Amino acid sequence: MSNGNDPFEQRVRSALDARAHALDAHTRAKLATARECALAHTPWWRPWWPAHPWVPASAVAACAVLVVSVVLVRGPADPIGGLAQTDTEAALELLLAADDASALDAEASVQLEAMLLLEEGEPDEG
Amino acid sequence: MQRFLASVETRAYCIARFATRNRDDALDLVQDAMLKLVQNYAQRDASEWRALFYTILQSRIRDWHRRQQVRNRFRHWFSWSDEDEEDAPDLLDQLPAQASSDPAVQLDNAQFVTQLDQELCALPYRQQQAFLLRAWEELDVAETAQVMACSESAVKTHYARALEKLRDKLEALQ
């Protein structure tokens, strides 16, 4: 086993050192980035969540505004049924208003007819 | 920790690069080893970091080799070519800045580095890693055995064989 003082081993070592020092800038930059990420050792979502809580807060607020806007623009959940019910009620009210007089007349005529029948019926009983 | 990682990252990258022969895979392995060291062993004494870091890196490299073996089986079945996935050796753009201004000396050094790269890549994985950890990282036999998860006698054998092969191939260039 060599003790490392062999000239051949020293030359190999110096050649390997020179090779490491001659790494291109792109690789060096990638290694530096890898080192920084390792030292931060944060999961992918950590860099923005705790340091900038306004990011998720604003996202939630934007979603809330969107939902409220959609509800306001589209109206109730069942707009066709709602409109149909409203139309039916309005039509019934109009119908009742229009037929009010005739309905009263009909009621009066029925009462009159009943009175006449009673009056006619008394001699029969006697 | 910052200084330690900065001091070992280029050598660790080169070791991973020799083992994988792929630049991106080597970067991934080094980053993973850094992350695990910081997450799990930052509280340990700084004198232990070097051995721990290289233990993690060697473990990741072994995992990488296992995955490659499985992938190579599938490639063999489907006759996929992996020529485009292995980086061409970028030797010329990584030649060291020469201390000597003598062109002949520079050429000799460049040839030596080029040949060393090729011969290191040609070594069996265990011999290559034992040589790099012992000769370059200057870990002792016990540390190298711990890092490589093997016995001290195995480290000695791997190292001696690697040194013998390199000497045979490279001494003519000296």
Side-chain angles (χ1 to χ4, degrees):
Chain A
M1 174 66 64
S2 169
N3 59 7
N5 293 325
D6 176 29
F8 176 74
E9 287 178 67
Q10 285 177 355
R11 180 157 192 206
V12 168
R13 192 176 301 123
S14 64
L16 289 169
D17 281 338
R19 191 189 196 285
H21 287 134
L23 279 182
D24 59 281
H26 182 62
T27 305
R28 284 185 180 281
K30 282 199 161 189
L31 285 169
T33 306
R35 184 192 343 130
E36 295 301 326
C37 287
L39 288 167
H41 68 87
T42 51
W44 62 268
W45 50 268
R46 288 271 297 174
W48 55 268
W49 177 268
H52 305 289
W54 53 268
V55 175
S58 58
V60 170
C63 287
V65 168
L66 187 67
V67 169
V68 169
S69 304
V70 167
V71 168
L72 287 178
V73 167
R74 293 191 61 192
D78 186 6
I80 296 173
L83 283 174
Q85 188 179 5
T86 306
D87 285 349
T88 307
E89 286 171 359
L92 280 172
E93 283 174 7
L94 285 171
L95 194 63
L96 286 173
D99 290 349
D100 225 5
S102 58
L104 284 172
D105 289 346
E107 191 178 355
S109 64
V110 168
Q111 283 179 356
L112 187 60
E113 214 171 325
M115 286 174 67
L116 288 171
L117 283 172
L118 283 173
E119 283 175 3
E120 287 175 3
E122 280 176 358
D124 289 344
E125 286 176 358
Chain B
M1 181 59 83
Q2 166 95 12
R3 269 178 292 169
F4 167 74
L5 291 178
S7 71
V8 295
E9 65 190 13
T10 51
R11 286 201 301 272
Y13 165 76
C14 289
I15 287 174
R17 175 71 190 269
F18 278 124
T20 61
R21 302 180 201 179
N22 185 293
R23 177 174 171 274
D24 294 326
D25 287 344
L27 282 169
D28 282 348
L29 293 173
V30 172
Q31 181 174 18
D32 202 22
M34 285 177 171
L35 190 62
K36 294 296 174 194
L37 181 77
V38 173
Q39 280 180 339
N40 300 330
Y41 301 106
Q43 308 304 322
R44 300 281 279 268
D45 192 75
S47 61
E48 298 177 42
W49 286 346
R50 177 179 296 271
L52 287 168
F53 175 73
Y54 281 107
T55 303
I56 298 167
L57 183 62
Q58 288 295 319
S59 169
R60 293 293 179 274
I61 291 174
R62 281 195 296 275
D63 289 344
W64 182 90
H65 274 286
R66 286 193 199 106
R67 286 199 303 272
Q68 285 300 111
Q69 283 174 355
V70 174
R71 284 178 60 188
N72 286 340
R73 275 183 216 141
F74 281 102
R75 279 184 189 145
H76 179 68
W77 289 343
F78 294 106
S79 301
W80 288 347
S81 169
D82 58 356
E83 287 175 3
D84 54 339
E85 293 194 13
E86 287 205 357
D87 288 355
D90 53 349
L91 304 170
L92 292 177
D93 61 338
Q94 295 191 353
L95 291 180
Q98 305 295 334
S100 169
S101 59
D102 184 352
V105 174
Q106 287 185 16
L107 182 62
D108 279 350
N109 286 339
Q111 283 178 340
F112 186 81
V113 172
T114 305
Q115 193 70 23
L116 177 64
D117 261 22
Q118 290 174 358
E119 298 305 330
L120 276 171
C121 287
L123 285 177
Y125 161 68
R126 306 287 284 175
Q127 292 181 20
Q128 175 199 78
Q129 293 298 304
F131 181 81
L132 289 170
L133 291 170
R134 288 279 293 116
W136 195 19
E137 271 305 316
E138 298 182 334
L139 299 181
D140 61 30
V141 176
E143 284 175 329
T144 309
Q146 180 200 334
V147 164
M148 293 183 64
C150 63
S151 66
E152 294 185 15
S153 59
V155 169
K156 290 176 185 173
T157 306
H158 289 317
Y159 180 77
R161 286 179 181 167
L163 186 62
E164 187 184 350
K165 286 180 186 171
L166 291 176
R167 204 187 289 275
D168 283 347
K169 301 282 185 183
L170 296 172
E171 271 201 329
L173 293 173
Q174 281 192 299

